[in-house]
Amino acid sequence: MKSSAELLKEHQLKVTPQRLKIIKMLEEYGHLNVDELYNEMLKEFPSVSLATIYKNINQMIDSGIIQEVKLPQTKSVYELIKEPHLHMICNICLNVEDIIIGTDKIIEEAEKLSGYKIEDSFMTLRGICPSCQNQS
Ligand SMILES: [Zn+2]
Ligand SMILES: [Zn+2]
């Protein structure tokens, strides 16, 4: 796997400690919303502002390193760009998980039915995660 610094350089972004930290956190947690990113950043960079975090996030979105995952009824989360996948979200704990399922067939079918040329998709499945099921 590429190092975070290599990833930034490859996308023509300057390697800064804050950007490295954002990538590291997303590698570790998978999906984080902006508040979670901000709170973690504060531990290492006590003077960082929310505006700076947004700026870094947006630059990395523009460069194709991370993407925003829009979720129904809860804040968007950010993740590193990886292979196409769907998101499972737990209705109880709001945990977000990736599930790697090919979406080509669905998109192909949707294009056929609608005549659209699909460019982007955000598919979310909602339910109760295994750990919440065990608690009931
Ligand atoms: Zn849950
Ligand atoms: Zn994801």
Side-chain angles (χ1 to χ4, degrees):
M1 195 165 162
K2 266 177 251 144
S3 77
S4 312
E6 279 166 355
L7 192 66
L8 285 167
K9 281 187 212 145
E10 208 172 81
H11 289 83
Q12 277 85 43
L13 277 183
K14 216 171 102 198
V15 179
T16 67
Q18 295 190 4
R19 284 181 185 152
L20 290 175
K21 174 78 179 166
I22 291 175
I23 293 175
K24 206 178 125 222
M25 288 188 291
L26 292 176
E27 273 171 354
E28 192 175 337
Y29 297 104
H31 309 86
L32 291 171
N33 67 34
V34 72
D35 298 330
E36 291 164 335
L37 282 167
Y38 182 48
N39 288 333
E40 281 294 312
M41 286 291 267
L42 282 177
K43 293 180 191 166
E44 226 168 285
F45 308 95
S47 60
V48 75
S49 71
L50 190 57
T52 307
I53 311 257
Y54 269 117
K55 206 175 109 200
N56 276 312
I57 288 174
N58 287 328
Q59 282 165 338
M60 289 197 283
I61 290 174
D62 290 343
S63 311
I65 296 178
I66 63 180
Q67 66 179 353
E68 181 180 0
V69 182
K70 296 192 174 78
L71 299 170
Q73 286 159 35
T74 179
K75 283 198 165 188
S76 289
V77 294
Y78 299 93
E79 68 178 359
L80 295 170
I81 290 189
K82 48 202 157 189
E83 57 188 307
H85 58 273
L86 302 185
H87 290 101
M88 314 276 289
I89 175 162
C90 176
N91 281 328
I92 296 175
C93 66
L94 298 181
N95 182 47
V96 180
E97 249 175 82
D98 289 336
I99 175 155
I100 311 288
I101 288 182
T103 52
D104 298 3
K105 282 256 152 46
I106 298 172
I107 290 176
E108 222 175 86
E109 191 69 20
E111 287 187 330
K112 226 183 282 168
L113 290 170
S114 66
Y116 272 59
K117 177 92 200 74
I118 312 272
E119 296 182 329
D120 220 344
S121 69
F122 292 96
M123 285 183 236
T124 310
L125 307 174
R126 303 178 63 100
I128 318 273
C129 75
S131 112
C132 289
Q133 285 176 46
N134 288 334
Q135 272 161 38
S136 60

